[in-house]
Every structure is written in C-alpha cells, then in structure tokens.
Amino acid sequence: MQLSILDYSPVDEGKRAADALAATVRLAQHAEEKGFARFWVSEHHAAPATASNSPEILISRIAAATRTIRVGSGGVLLPNYSSLKIAENYQLLEALFPGRIDLGFGRAPGADQRTNMALNDEKKGSIPYHQKVTDLLGFLTGQHPAGSMYDGMRAHPKTQDKPQPFVLGASGSTADIAAQEGLGFTFAHFINPSDTGAKAAKAYRATFRPTDFCPRPSVIVAVFVSVGDTKEEAEAFADAFHLWLAYAESTRPFRRIPSLDTTRAHAWTADELAVRHRNQGRLISGTASEVVEQLRALAAAYETDEVMINLMIPGESARMNAVELLSGAVSAFSTTPSAHSFRT
C-alpha cells in the first residue's frame, strides 16, 4: 500500500498563516524522506484556520523544496476559473518540475455563498462542468473536440510530459467524467464515508477509456487520519479533530485549529456531540498499526493500493510524528508473510 498526503496547511493556536505554510513545506520534505508517493495541497477560501488558498503557488514552493515526491492540487475549484488559465498554470509547473506535477480538480465552490460570489463577480453565467473539463484537457493536449471554438489552441509552455489530471469527487457523480476522459479518480472518503465511493470506483473502472494521461484506471481514496504513540494520545488528537470539524462546517468556524488543552477544556453541547457522531466515519484514528490496518481495509474496499491521508491534528510535531509512525507501520506490515497490495 502506498501512502500520500493531502494537506490543508492547518494554522495552529498561537501561530500565523506564515507558520502554517512553512510547516507544510517541512511536512512535504518529511513525507518525501519517508517514501510517500504524493503531497497535495488544498484550495479553501475565507477559512483562516487553513492557509492554503492558492494551490499553484504553494505547489511551486513545495516542489522547489523537494526532489522526487509528486506534488499537486487537491484540488483546483475548476468552476471558479478559466480552463485555459488553469492549463497554463500547470503546464508552467510541469516545465519547472518535470514529471512531478498532479492536477487534481473538482467542481465544489470551496467557500460560503458570499465568497463564491466574490470569486465570480464578473461572470455573467456558468459553463457546464463537463465542458470545463473538456476544455481544460484540450488546452493541455492541443486537441479539442470537433466544432470546438478553441480548435487549434493549447496552453504554453509546451512540455515533454503533461501534468497528471485527477477528477476529485465526493458524491460519485463525477466518476463517469474521469472514466470517459481517461483520467485518474480520487474520492473524498473524508467527506462522504458511505459505500458511495467504493461503488463509484467500481463504476469508473468498468467504463474507463485509456488515454495518454492515464493508460489504465487509477484510484486514490482520501481520508482524515489521527495517529498517536499510544491509543490515549490518538484519542486526544481525534477529540481535537472533531471539535475543529464541528465548527469548520458551521457558520462559526474556528480561526485556528484547537489545541489539545483547548479541546480538553471544552464542554461539548448535545448538538456538537450529535455532529461528532455523524462525522465519526470521516476519521481513522488509533496507533500506527491500528490505523494502517484500517487503511488497508479501506484500500481493499476501493480496490486500490493508494490511500491519501489528511492529518488535521493539532501541532506540527504531531503531524510530523504521524508521518514517521505510519511509514514505519507500513514498512513493518509489508515485510510480514501475509502482506499484499491492492493494485489498480
């Protein structure tokens, strides 16, 4: 099983956004050292507890500070932008860091209604999502469908290889786009922990059309993870995660990721506990060996060998330690006689 990371650049209590971004770069370097496959960064707007709002800029910084790990977006909020501009951004990244750039994109707005209006304030209408994807791929390849108004146009600079596109999904409805266009497919199990994702991955494989982008199906499943040296520590991290999440999706999100001390002092209301119960399946928590066992079960359900973890736990040292612990646990598991991988 391969592990990758999706990072939100969490801003811890007592820290600034600049501290969070520097910590993200260090986490990517540590993940590379420990053999992680990819390091993706998010796009969130009007969310002061997470500092990543421009994946392209952060990707450039991370790729410059690393050597081998693939770096990408998880993901670009495509409806907000010109498909040509996104293609140009990622072609430029590919030219700067050949063979290492992933272009993960989705159709979610990624912000509240007012912020979404500000991101699109000069638009007089919207383009169907599948059309946006088709245009994006056309600009990357220079090959547009017959009758396209963009026939003959391509994004520059031209590169030997292309950024690797992934369609991101949380409902299963975009799996067919990934399959028809021959792209990778990443499911946000951390948003929708039902069996929808596994079914979407199966449908994606059944109708996949090979392309130069992706000659065979490629599935990644992404999930929130908290890891501790002990079960008690992991539970404390899980408490902090659930406290952050209970407010992150409300009208009163925290401005920082709550610390363990803040979490311990918090008096949970009945409503907060109900939200926590609903969110329980979005997090895999425990010691490293317990988490790896659960991640392997998740990979098996999706019939993949790549799981992308999101470490929304307080403290840079805790996130760095989680990478260390998981790397060791995966290595230990892979040397056992019964260990095996789930290949796409």
PDB file of all heavy atoms in Angstrom, residues 83-115:
ATOM      1  N   SER A  83     -10.517  27.671 -17.818  1.00  0.00           N
ATOM      2  CA  SER A  83      -9.822  26.410 -18.068  1.00  0.00           C
ATOM      3  C   SER A  83      -8.454  26.649 -18.697  1.00  0.00           C
ATOM      4  O   SER A  83      -7.491  25.924 -18.416  1.00  0.00           O
ATOM      5  CB  SER A  83     -10.669  25.513 -18.984  1.00  0.00           C
ATOM      6  OG  SER A  83     -11.822  25.060 -18.306  1.00  0.00           O
ATOM      7  N   LEU A  84      -8.360  27.659 -19.560  1.00  0.00           N
ATOM      8  CA  LEU A  84      -7.071  27.974 -20.176  1.00  0.00           C
ATOM      9  C   LEU A  84      -6.060  28.411 -19.127  1.00  0.00           C
ATOM     10  O   LEU A  84      -4.906  27.968 -19.140  1.00  0.00           O
ATOM     11  CB  LEU A  84      -7.239  29.070 -21.228  1.00  0.00           C
ATOM     12  CG  LEU A  84      -5.930  29.587 -21.850  1.00  0.00           C
ATOM     13  CD1 LEU A  84      -5.162  28.462 -22.536  1.00  0.00           C
ATOM     14  CD2 LEU A  84      -6.212  30.730 -22.828  1.00  0.00           C
ATOM     15  N   LYS A  85      -6.482  29.267 -18.205  1.00  0.00           N
ATOM     16  CA  LYS A  85      -5.547  29.748 -17.197  1.00  0.00           C
ATOM     17  C   LYS A  85      -5.054  28.618 -16.307  1.00  0.00           C
ATOM     18  O   LYS A  85      -3.871  28.553 -15.959  1.00  0.00           O
ATOM     19  CB  LYS A  85      -6.205  30.845 -16.362  1.00  0.00           C
ATOM     20  CG  LYS A  85      -5.277  31.471 -15.318  1.00  0.00           C
ATOM     21  CD  LYS A  85      -4.027  32.057 -15.961  1.00  0.00           C
ATOM     22  CE  LYS A  85      -3.151  32.756 -14.926  1.00  0.00           C
ATOM     23  NZ  LYS A  85      -1.876  33.217 -15.513  1.00  0.00           N
ATOM     24  N   ILE A  86      -5.942  27.712 -15.925  1.00  0.00           N
ATOM     25  CA  ILE A  86      -5.516  26.563 -15.119  1.00  0.00           C
ATOM     26  C   ILE A  86      -4.543  25.700 -15.914  1.00  0.00           C
ATOM     27  O   ILE A  86      -3.515  25.249 -15.384  1.00  0.00           O
ATOM     28  CB  ILE A  86      -6.737  25.735 -14.666  1.00  0.00           C
ATOM     29  CG1 ILE A  86      -7.622  26.561 -13.727  1.00  0.00           C
ATOM     30  CG2 ILE A  86      -6.291  24.448 -13.987  1.00  0.00           C
ATOM     31  CD1 ILE A  86      -6.924  27.060 -12.480  1.00  0.00           C
ATOM     32  N   ALA A  87      -4.834  25.454 -17.177  1.00  0.00           N
ATOM     33  CA  ALA A  87      -3.924  24.668 -18.010  1.00  0.00           C
ATOM     34  C   ALA A  87      -2.558  25.332 -18.094  1.00  0.00           C
ATOM     35  O   ALA A  87      -1.514  24.667 -18.002  1.00  0.00           O
ATOM     36  CB  ALA A  87      -4.525  24.481 -19.398  1.00  0.00           C
ATOM     37  N   GLU A  88      -2.533  26.649 -18.272  1.00  0.00           N
ATOM     38  CA  GLU A  88      -1.256  27.368 -18.343  1.00  0.00           C
ATOM     39  C   GLU A  88      -0.492  27.269 -17.024  1.00  0.00           C
ATOM     40  O   GLU A  88       0.733  27.051 -17.017  1.00  0.00           O
ATOM     41  CB  GLU A  88      -1.501  28.834 -18.690  1.00  0.00           C
ATOM     42  CG  GLU A  88      -1.949  29.064 -20.120  1.00  0.00           C
ATOM     43  CD  GLU A  88      -2.223  30.522 -20.406  1.00  0.00           C
ATOM     44  OE1 GLU A  88      -2.555  31.275 -19.466  1.00  0.00           O
ATOM     45  OE2 GLU A  88      -2.113  30.914 -21.588  1.00  0.00           O
ATOM     46  N   ASN A  89      -1.196  27.432 -15.916  1.00  0.00           N
ATOM     47  CA  ASN A  89      -0.538  27.340 -14.609  1.00  0.00           C
ATOM     48  C   ASN A  89       0.166  25.999 -14.439  1.00  0.00           C
ATOM     49  O   ASN A  89       1.309  25.931 -13.976  1.00  0.00           O
ATOM     50  CB  ASN A  89      -1.557  27.521 -13.484  1.00  0.00           C
ATOM     51  CG  ASN A  89      -2.005  28.955 -13.304  1.00  0.00           C
ATOM     52  OD1 ASN A  89      -1.383  29.875 -13.817  1.00  0.00           O
ATOM     53  ND2 ASN A  89      -3.095  29.147 -12.575  1.00  0.00           N
ATOM     54  N   TYR A  90      -0.537  24.927 -14.785  1.00  0.00           N
ATOM     55  CA  TYR A  90       0.016  23.595 -14.534  1.00  0.00           C
ATOM     56  C   TYR A  90       1.015  23.177 -15.609  1.00  0.00           C
ATOM     57  O   TYR A  90       1.925  22.380 -15.325  1.00  0.00           O
ATOM     58  CB  TYR A  90      -1.123  22.586 -14.326  1.00  0.00           C
ATOM     59  CG  TYR A  90      -1.688  22.746 -12.940  1.00  0.00           C
ATOM     60  CD1 TYR A  90      -2.607  23.754 -12.652  1.00  0.00           C
ATOM     61  CD2 TYR A  90      -1.247  21.957 -11.897  1.00  0.00           C
ATOM     62  CE1 TYR A  90      -3.072  23.959 -11.365  1.00  0.00           C
ATOM     63  CE2 TYR A  90      -1.715  22.146 -10.606  1.00  0.00           C
ATOM     64  CZ  TYR A  90      -2.623  23.149 -10.349  1.00  0.00           C
ATOM     65  OH  TYR A  90      -3.063  23.352  -9.063  1.00  0.00           O
ATOM     66  N   GLN A  91       0.887  23.697 -16.809  1.00  0.00           N
ATOM     67  CA  GLN A  91       1.940  23.486 -17.803  1.00  0.00           C
ATOM     68  C   GLN A  91       3.235  24.156 -17.341  1.00  0.00           C
ATOM     69  O   GLN A  91       4.332  23.603 -17.508  1.00  0.00           O
ATOM     70  CB  GLN A  91       1.515  24.051 -19.161  1.00  0.00           C
ATOM     71  CG  GLN A  91       0.555  23.163 -19.937  1.00  0.00           C
ATOM     72  CD  GLN A  91       1.193  21.836 -20.346  1.00  0.00           C
ATOM     73  OE1 GLN A  91       0.644  20.778 -20.087  1.00  0.00           O
ATOM     74  NE2 GLN A  91       2.356  21.896 -20.971  1.00  0.00           N
ATOM     75  N   LEU A  92       3.115  25.339 -16.767  1.00  0.00           N
ATOM     76  CA  LEU A  92       4.300  26.028 -16.274  1.00  0.00           C
ATOM     77  C   LEU A  92       4.931  25.262 -15.114  1.00  0.00           C
ATOM     78  O   LEU A  92       6.159  25.105 -15.052  1.00  0.00           O
ATOM     79  CB  LEU A  92       3.928  27.448 -15.840  1.00  0.00           C
ATOM     80  CG  LEU A  92       5.084  28.331 -15.331  1.00  0.00           C
ATOM     81  CD1 LEU A  92       6.202  28.424 -16.362  1.00  0.00           C
ATOM     82  CD2 LEU A  92       4.576  29.717 -14.967  1.00  0.00           C
ATOM     83  N   LEU A  93       4.113  24.757 -14.211  1.00  0.00           N
ATOM     84  CA  LEU A  93       4.635  23.947 -13.120  1.00  0.00           C
ATOM     85  C   LEU A  93       5.328  22.690 -13.646  1.00  0.00           C
ATOM     86  O   LEU A  93       6.394  22.296 -13.149  1.00  0.00           O
ATOM     87  CB  LEU A  93       3.503  23.564 -12.163  1.00  0.00           C
ATOM     88  CG  LEU A  93       2.978  24.672 -11.264  1.00  0.00           C
ATOM     89  CD1 LEU A  93       1.674  24.256 -10.601  1.00  0.00           C
ATOM     90  CD2 LEU A  93       4.013  25.046 -10.202  1.00  0.00           C
ATOM     91  N   GLU A  94       4.733  22.065 -14.650  1.00  0.00           N
ATOM     92  CA  GLU A  94       5.337  20.876 -15.249  1.00  0.00           C
ATOM     93  C   GLU A  94       6.679  21.218 -15.893  1.00  0.00           C
ATOM     94  O   GLU A  94       7.636  20.429 -15.821  1.00  0.00           O
ATOM     95  CB  GLU A  94       4.388  20.259 -16.277  1.00  0.00           C
ATOM     96  CG  GLU A  94       4.918  19.038 -17.003  1.00  0.00           C
ATOM     97  CD  GLU A  94       5.150  17.843 -16.096  1.00  0.00           C
ATOM     98  OE1 GLU A  94       4.442  17.697 -15.085  1.00  0.00           O
ATOM     99  OE2 GLU A  94       6.056  17.044 -16.413  1.00  0.00           O
ATOM    100  N   ALA A  95       6.772  22.381 -16.531  1.00  0.00           N
ATOM    101  CA  ALA A  95       8.035  22.799 -17.134  1.00  0.00           C
ATOM    102  C   ALA A  95       9.102  23.040 -16.066  1.00  0.00           C
ATOM    103  O   ALA A  95      10.295  22.742 -16.283  1.00  0.00           O
ATOM    104  CB  ALA A  95       7.823  24.064 -17.968  1.00  0.00           C
ATOM    105  N   LEU A  96       8.700  23.569 -14.928  1.00  0.00           N
ATOM    106  CA  LEU A  96       9.637  23.844 -13.840  1.00  0.00           C
ATOM    107  C   LEU A  96      10.057  22.568 -13.105  1.00  0.00           C
ATOM    108  O   LEU A  96      11.221  22.439 -12.686  1.00  0.00           O
ATOM    109  CB  LEU A  96       9.002  24.813 -12.842  1.00  0.00           C
ATOM    110  CG  LEU A  96       8.812  26.260 -13.309  1.00  0.00           C
ATOM    111  CD1 LEU A  96       7.914  27.007 -12.334  1.00  0.00           C
ATOM    112  CD2 LEU A  96      10.157  26.954 -13.431  1.00  0.00           C
ATOM    113  N   PHE A  97       9.108  21.626 -12.967  1.00  0.00           N
ATOM    114  CA  PHE A  97       9.357  20.421 -12.171  1.00  0.00           C
ATOM    115  C   PHE A  97       8.888  19.194 -12.965  1.00  0.00           C
ATOM    116  O   PHE A  97       7.860  18.584 -12.654  1.00  0.00           O
ATOM    117  CB  PHE A  97       8.626  20.508 -10.825  1.00  0.00           C
ATOM    118  CG  PHE A  97       8.894  21.793 -10.090  1.00  0.00           C
ATOM    119  CD1 PHE A  97       7.944  22.814 -10.070  1.00  0.00           C
ATOM    120  CD2 PHE A  97      10.102  21.996  -9.444  1.00  0.00           C
ATOM    121  CE1 PHE A  97       8.191  24.006  -9.412  1.00  0.00           C
ATOM    122  CE2 PHE A  97      10.357  23.195  -8.779  1.00  0.00           C
ATOM    123  CZ  PHE A  97       9.414  24.196  -8.758  1.00  0.00           C
ATOM    124  N   PRO A  98       9.629  18.816 -13.997  1.00  0.00           N
ATOM    125  CA  PRO A  98       9.164  17.777 -14.929  1.00  0.00           C
ATOM    126  C   PRO A  98       8.861  16.443 -14.245  1.00  0.00           C
ATOM    127  O   PRO A  98       9.611  15.980 -13.381  1.00  0.00           O
ATOM    128  CB  PRO A  98      10.349  17.630 -15.898  1.00  0.00           C
ATOM    129  CG  PRO A  98      11.111  18.904 -15.779  1.00  0.00           C
ATOM    130  CD  PRO A  98      10.945  19.357 -14.369  1.00  0.00           C
ATOM    131  N   GLY A  99       7.722  15.868 -14.638  1.00  0.00           N
ATOM    132  CA  GLY A  99       7.357  14.539 -14.170  1.00  0.00           C
ATOM    133  C   GLY A  99       6.897  14.457 -12.732  1.00  0.00           C
ATOM    134  O   GLY A  99       6.790  13.353 -12.180  1.00  0.00           O
ATOM    135  N   ARG A 100       6.554  15.612 -12.116  1.00  0.00           N
ATOM    136  CA  ARG A 100       6.214  15.588 -10.690  1.00  0.00           C
ATOM    137  C   ARG A 100       4.902  16.286 -10.364  1.00  0.00           C
ATOM    138  O   ARG A 100       4.528  16.368  -9.188  1.00  0.00           O
ATOM    139  CB  ARG A 100       7.335  16.242  -9.877  1.00  0.00           C
ATOM    140  CG  ARG A 100       8.664  15.510  -9.924  1.00  0.00           C
ATOM    141  CD  ARG A 100       9.700  16.247  -9.099  1.00  0.00           C
ATOM    142  NE  ARG A 100       9.234  16.436  -7.734  1.00  0.00           N
ATOM    143  CZ  ARG A 100       9.673  17.405  -6.919  1.00  0.00           C
ATOM    144  NH1 ARG A 100      10.550  18.288  -7.355  1.00  0.00           N
ATOM    145  NH2 ARG A 100       9.205  17.501  -5.691  1.00  0.00           N
ATOM    146  N   ILE A 101       4.176  16.778 -11.364  1.00  0.00           N
ATOM    147  CA  ILE A 101       3.015  17.637 -11.082  1.00  0.00           C
ATOM    148  C   ILE A 101       1.698  16.900 -11.331  1.00  0.00           C
ATOM    149  O   ILE A 101       1.464  16.332 -12.401  1.00  0.00           O
ATOM    150  CB  ILE A 101       3.065  18.914 -11.942  1.00  0.00           C
ATOM    151  CG1 ILE A 101       4.346  19.698 -11.656  1.00  0.00           C
ATOM    152  CG2 ILE A 101       1.834  19.768 -11.688  1.00  0.00           C
ATOM    153  CD1 ILE A 101       4.524  20.125 -10.202  1.00  0.00           C
ATOM    154  N   ASP A 102       0.829  16.928 -10.314  1.00  0.00           N
ATOM    155  CA  ASP A 102      -0.530  16.391 -10.409  1.00  0.00           C
ATOM    156  C   ASP A 102      -1.523  17.548 -10.430  1.00  0.00           C
ATOM    157  O   ASP A 102      -1.393  18.505  -9.654  1.00  0.00           O
ATOM    158  CB  ASP A 102      -0.856  15.488  -9.217  1.00  0.00           C
ATOM    159  CG  ASP A 102      -0.043  14.209  -9.196  1.00  0.00           C
ATOM    160  OD1 ASP A 102       0.389  13.756 -10.278  1.00  0.00           O
ATOM    161  OD2 ASP A 102       0.158  13.656  -8.095  1.00  0.00           O
ATOM    162  N   LEU A 103      -2.522  17.440 -11.291  1.00  0.00           N
ATOM    163  CA  LEU A 103      -3.581  18.443 -11.395  1.00  0.00           C
ATOM    164  C   LEU A 103      -4.898  17.808 -10.958  1.00  0.00           C
ATOM    165  O   LEU A 103      -5.627  17.232 -11.752  1.00  0.00           O
ATOM    166  CB  LEU A 103      -3.665  18.974 -12.834  1.00  0.00           C
ATOM    167  CG  LEU A 103      -4.869  19.841 -13.216  1.00  0.00           C
ATOM    168  CD1 LEU A 103      -5.091  20.979 -12.238  1.00  0.00           C
ATOM    169  CD2 LEU A 103      -4.710  20.370 -14.634  1.00  0.00           C
ATOM    170  N   GLY A 104      -5.169  17.888  -9.670  1.00  0.00           N
ATOM    171  CA  GLY A 104      -6.452  17.421  -9.150  1.00  0.00           C
ATOM    172  C   GLY A 104      -7.443  18.558  -9.163  1.00  0.00           C
ATOM    173  O   GLY A 104      -7.134  19.656  -8.702  1.00  0.00           O
ATOM    174  N   PHE A 105      -8.638  18.318  -9.702  1.00  0.00           N
ATOM    175  CA  PHE A 105      -9.637  19.391  -9.785  1.00  0.00           C
ATOM    176  C   PHE A 105     -11.022  18.849  -9.452  1.00  0.00           C
ATOM    177  O   PHE A 105     -11.316  17.669  -9.630  1.00  0.00           O
ATOM    178  CB  PHE A 105      -9.636  20.030 -11.182  1.00  0.00           C
ATOM    179  CG  PHE A 105      -9.860  19.069 -12.311  1.00  0.00           C
ATOM    180  CD1 PHE A 105     -11.146  18.725 -12.705  1.00  0.00           C
ATOM    181  CD2 PHE A 105      -8.790  18.497 -12.986  1.00  0.00           C
ATOM    182  CE1 PHE A 105     -11.366  17.839 -13.742  1.00  0.00           C
ATOM    183  CE2 PHE A 105      -8.993  17.610 -14.032  1.00  0.00           C
ATOM    184  CZ  PHE A 105     -10.282  17.273 -14.406  1.00  0.00           C
ATOM    185  N   GLY A 106     -11.866  19.744  -8.952  1.00  0.00           N
ATOM    186  CA  GLY A 106     -13.222  19.365  -8.589  1.00  0.00           C
ATOM    187  C   GLY A 106     -14.192  20.474  -8.923  1.00  0.00           C
ATOM    188  O   GLY A 106     -13.803  21.551  -9.371  1.00  0.00           O
ATOM    189  N   ARG A 107     -15.458  20.221  -8.669  1.00  0.00           N
ATOM    190  CA  ARG A 107     -16.479  21.203  -9.044  1.00  0.00           C
ATOM    191  C   ARG A 107     -17.111  21.900  -7.845  1.00  0.00           C
ATOM    192  O   ARG A 107     -18.014  22.711  -8.012  1.00  0.00           O
ATOM    193  CB  ARG A 107     -17.562  20.536  -9.874  1.00  0.00           C
ATOM    194  CG  ARG A 107     -18.421  19.520  -9.136  1.00  0.00           C
ATOM    195  CD  ARG A 107     -19.476  18.943 -10.066  1.00  0.00           C
ATOM    196  NE  ARG A 107     -20.324  17.977  -9.406  1.00  0.00           N
ATOM    197  CZ  ARG A 107     -21.229  17.238 -10.026  1.00  0.00           C
ATOM    198  NH1 ARG A 107     -21.391  17.366 -11.335  1.00  0.00           N
ATOM    199  NH2 ARG A 107     -21.958  16.378  -9.359  1.00  0.00           N
ATOM    200  N   ALA A 108     -16.624  21.624  -6.640  1.00  0.00           N
ATOM    201  CA  ALA A 108     -17.185  22.294  -5.465  1.00  0.00           C
ATOM    202  C   ALA A 108     -16.778  23.760  -5.444  1.00  0.00           C
ATOM    203  O   ALA A 108     -15.698  24.116  -5.920  1.00  0.00           O
ATOM    204  CB  ALA A 108     -16.704  21.602  -4.195  1.00  0.00           C
ATOM    205  N   PRO A 109     -17.602  24.636  -4.875  1.00  0.00           N
ATOM    206  CA  PRO A 109     -17.236  26.050  -4.791  1.00  0.00           C
ATOM    207  C   PRO A 109     -16.133  26.315  -3.779  1.00  0.00           C
ATOM    208  O   PRO A 109     -15.348  27.244  -3.933  1.00  0.00           O
ATOM    209  CB  PRO A 109     -18.542  26.730  -4.384  1.00  0.00           C
ATOM    210  CG  PRO A 109     -19.330  25.664  -3.697  1.00  0.00           C
ATOM    211  CD  PRO A 109     -18.980  24.388  -4.402  1.00  0.00           C
ATOM    212  N   GLY A 110     -16.070  25.513  -2.704  1.00  0.00           N
ATOM    213  CA  GLY A 110     -14.996  25.644  -1.734  1.00  0.00           C
ATOM    214  C   GLY A 110     -15.077  26.854  -0.838  1.00  0.00           C
ATOM    215  O   GLY A 110     -14.084  27.262  -0.239  1.00  0.00           O
ATOM    216  N   ALA A 111     -16.257  27.440  -0.732  1.00  0.00           N
ATOM    217  CA  ALA A 111     -16.397  28.653   0.081  1.00  0.00           C
ATOM    218  C   ALA A 111     -17.868  28.899   0.363  1.00  0.00           C
ATOM    219  O   ALA A 111     -18.752  28.250  -0.212  1.00  0.00           O
ATOM    220  CB  ALA A 111     -15.801  29.846  -0.653  1.00  0.00           C
ATOM    221  N   ASP A 112     -18.136  29.859   1.244  1.00  0.00           N
ATOM    222  CA  ASP A 112     -19.512  30.259   1.500  1.00  0.00           C
ATOM    223  C   ASP A 112     -20.056  31.035   0.304  1.00  0.00           C
ATOM    224  O   ASP A 112     -19.315  31.427  -0.596  1.00  0.00           O
ATOM    225  CB  ASP A 112     -19.589  31.105   2.776  1.00  0.00           C
ATOM    226  CG  ASP A 112     -18.744  32.360   2.675  1.00  0.00           C
ATOM    227  OD1 ASP A 112     -19.189  33.332   2.034  1.00  0.00           O
ATOM    228  OD2 ASP A 112     -17.621  32.365   3.211  1.00  0.00           O
ATOM    229  N   GLN A 113     -21.359  31.275   0.309  1.00  0.00           N
ATOM    230  CA  GLN A 113     -22.017  31.874  -0.853  1.00  0.00           C
ATOM    231  C   GLN A 113     -21.456  33.251  -1.192  1.00  0.00           C
ATOM    232  O   GLN A 113     -21.213  33.566  -2.356  1.00  0.00           O
ATOM    233  CB  GLN A 113     -23.522  31.958  -0.627  1.00  0.00           C
ATOM    234  CG  GLN A 113     -24.288  32.443  -1.848  1.00  0.00           C
ATOM    235  CD  GLN A 113     -25.800  32.414  -1.627  1.00  0.00           C
ATOM    236  OE1 GLN A 113     -26.265  32.161  -0.535  1.00  0.00           O
ATOM    237  NE2 GLN A 113     -26.550  32.685  -2.674  1.00  0.00           N
ATOM    238  N   ARG A 114     -21.207  34.071  -0.192  1.00  0.00           N
ATOM    239  CA  ARG A 114     -20.721  35.421  -0.458  1.00  0.00           C
ATOM    240  C   ARG A 114     -19.302  35.393  -1.043  1.00  0.00           C
ATOM    241  O   ARG A 114     -18.993  36.132  -1.973  1.00  0.00           O
ATOM    242  CB  ARG A 114     -20.758  36.267   0.812  1.00  0.00           C
ATOM    243  CG  ARG A 114     -20.483  37.743   0.541  1.00  0.00           C
ATOM    244  CD  ARG A 114     -20.804  38.613   1.718  1.00  0.00           C
ATOM    245  NE  ARG A 114     -19.897  38.389   2.833  1.00  0.00           N
ATOM    246  CZ  ARG A 114     -19.632  39.319   3.755  1.00  0.00           C
ATOM    247  NH1 ARG A 114     -20.212  40.501   3.688  1.00  0.00           N
ATOM    248  NH2 ARG A 114     -18.810  39.069   4.743  1.00  0.00           N
ATOM    249  N   THR A 115     -18.456  34.525  -0.493  1.00  0.00           N
ATOM    250  CA  THR A 115     -17.095  34.395  -1.013  1.00  0.00           C
ATOM    251  C   THR A 115     -17.121  33.860  -2.432  1.00  0.00           C
ATOM    252  O   THR A 115     -16.362  34.320  -3.300  1.00  0.00           O
ATOM    253  CB  THR A 115     -16.260  33.468  -0.115  1.00  0.00           C
ATOM    254  OG1 THR A 115     -16.263  33.986   1.221  1.00  0.00           O
ATOM    255  CG2 THR A 115     -14.826  33.365  -0.607  1.00  0.00           C
TER     256      THR A 115
END
